[in-house]
């Protein structure tokens, strides 16, 4: 049997036993070993389906392990590979308008989006692209939180659309401690659909052709659990 398949099946067994971290270790190893050449050829549909299933179960593992935004990232990959699969419906159920894991209230959704945006900006600005110590994480989280509290008091967030809130969240520049001065603040993506010559708005399909809404595909807002591993 192919080695990726052995790891894949082991991963599924640990998922069934509710040991998501152990399952993830096997599923991630399967992902590294699964052959991905000729994925684009029309005759490779079973290979694409294998990979789509692998991403689906990886997502389940992340979800069960509490990494809810990484779960969504995996399900988006799965949905891109399998355009008719059930994973699309699942994605719509568990995501909010930021393309992030849906929280208990709109306010927490907003706060998580602000946190994800600022945290990834901070991590991106570091040469190492990662956070170091627990103390550093706490310090940055506290700094972002202070700005969030101030923002919530001054802006009328419930009246803004998701696109307006994203613009506002991105416009707020937090001065992080000296060792981490951001140098790429001006390179933030602005989503433009070049084929139609206009900016992409909330409800548009992604330009990559996945058929997913832009906000769920290449326009996703990264969650903290993704930013921490360098996925923006
Ligand atoms: Zn896309």
């Amino acid at each position: 049997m192919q080695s990726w398949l052995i790891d894949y099946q082991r991963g599924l067994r640990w998922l069934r036993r509710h040991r998501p971290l152990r399952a993830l270790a096997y599923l991630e190893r399967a992902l590294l070993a699964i052959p991905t050449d000729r994925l684009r050829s029309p005759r490779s549909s079973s290979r694409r389906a294998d990979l789509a299933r692998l991403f689906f179960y990886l997502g389940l593992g992340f979800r069960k392990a509490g990494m809810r935004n990484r779960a969504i990232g995996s399900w988006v990959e799965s949905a891109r590979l399998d355009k008719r699969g059930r994973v699309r419906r699942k994605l719509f159920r568990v995501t909010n308008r930021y393309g992030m894991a849906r929280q208990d209230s709109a306010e927490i959704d907003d706060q998580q989006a602000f946190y994800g945006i600022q945290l990834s900006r901070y991590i991106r600005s570091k040469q190492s692209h990662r956070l170091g110590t627990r103390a550093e994480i706490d310090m940055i989280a506290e700094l972002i939180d202070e700005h969030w509290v101030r923002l919530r008091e001054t802006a009328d967030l419930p009246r803004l659309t998701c696109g307006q809130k994203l613009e506002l969240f991105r416009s707020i520049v937090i001065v992080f401690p000296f060792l981490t001065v951001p140098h790429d603040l001006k390179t933030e993506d602005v989503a433009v659909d070049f084929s139609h010559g206009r900016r992409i708005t909330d409800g548009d399909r992604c330009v990559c052709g996945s058929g997913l809404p832009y906000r769920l595909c290449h326009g996703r807002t990264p969650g903290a659990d993704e930013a921490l591993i360098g996925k923006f």
Side-chain angles (χ1 to χ4, degrees):
M1 206 184 334
Q2 292 165 289
S3 75
W4 77 267
L5 206 49
I6 297 172
D7 283 331
Y8 172 73
Q9 286 170 352
R10 281 186 184 144
L12 295 196
R13 270 203 297 280
W14 285 112
L15 264 186
R16 280 196 295 272
R17 292 178 200 161
H18 304 289
R19 299 285 296 276
L21 291 179
R22 196 164 280 209
L24 283 170
Y26 284 113
L27 293 174
E28 286 185 317
R29 210 162 71 175
L31 185 62
L32 289 178
I34 192 170
T36 53
D37 53 319
R38 294 197 299 276
L39 267 182
R40 285 179 180 280
S41 107
R43 294 216 310 234
S44 69
S45 63
S46 71
R47 199 174 282 198
R48 263 205 308 273
D50 283 343
L51 193 56
R53 263 195 298 275
L54 180 50
F55 273 118
F56 175 77
Y57 286 112
L58 263 171
L60 271 189
F62 284 129
R63 177 106 180 159
K64 280 174 187 248
M67 293 177 263
R68 295 173 64 195
N69 290 297
R70 289 186 71 183
I72 289 165
S74 290
W75 288 334
V76 168
E77 295 289 349
S78 180
R80 283 181 188 142
L81 288 157
D82 180 5
K83 298 199 172 181
R84 285 167 311 181
R86 284 168 304 163
V87 68
R88 292 191 174 228
R89 286 199 294 280
K90 190 173 189 67
L91 264 176
F92 287 110
R93 272 204 310 276
V94 298
T95 51
N96 59 25
R97 295 196 65 82
Y98 297 105
M100 303 175 77
R102 184 180 293 159
Q103 305 291 332
D104 292 336
S105 73
E107 195 189 321
I108 308 178
D109 280 336
D110 291 343
Q111 184 259 338
Q112 290 288 303
F114 182 72
Y115 187 67
I117 287 168
Q118 296 297 342
L119 183 65
S120 34
R121 182 183 280 166
Y122 169 75
I123 294 175
R124 241 187 335 222
S125 74
K126 292 186 68 177
Q127 213 127 49
S128 63
H129 272 206
R130 50 181 0 132
L131 285 178
T133 58
R134 186 73 236 176
E136 182 184 6
I137 298 175
D138 290 347
M139 179 180 70
I140 296 304
E142 213 167 295
L143 204 51
I144 297 174
D145 199 48
E146 282 168 21
H147 282 77
W148 169 249
V149 171
R150 228 173 298 153
L151 175 65
R152 211 185 37 190
E153 285 166 359
T154 50
D156 192 2
L157 292 177
R159 291 179 67 114
L160 301 181
T161 66
C162 183
Q164 288 170 327
K165 282 187 272 196
L166 278 173
E167 227 164 284
L168 175 64
F169 295 167
R170 290 184 183 132
S171 74
I172 291 171
V173 176
I174 299 178
V175 181
F176 290 112
F178 69 93
L179 66 161
T180 57
V181 177
H183 51 72
D184 60 353
L185 283 181
K186 295 285 170 241
T187 62
E188 204 91 58
D189 295 346
V190 174
V192 176
D193 176 359
F194 286 104
S195 58
H196 297 95
R198 62 185 176 84
R199 279 184 75 160
I200 294 171
T201 56
D202 272 8
D204 287 347
R205 305 268 136 200
C206 192
V207 286
C208 75
S210 66
L212 292 168
Y214 176 72
R215 56 124 181 135
L216 239 185
C217 194
H218 288 86
R220 285 189 58 225
T221 304
D225 54 339
E226 293 173 290
L228 285 172
I229 58 153
K231 288 206 169 183
F232 310 116

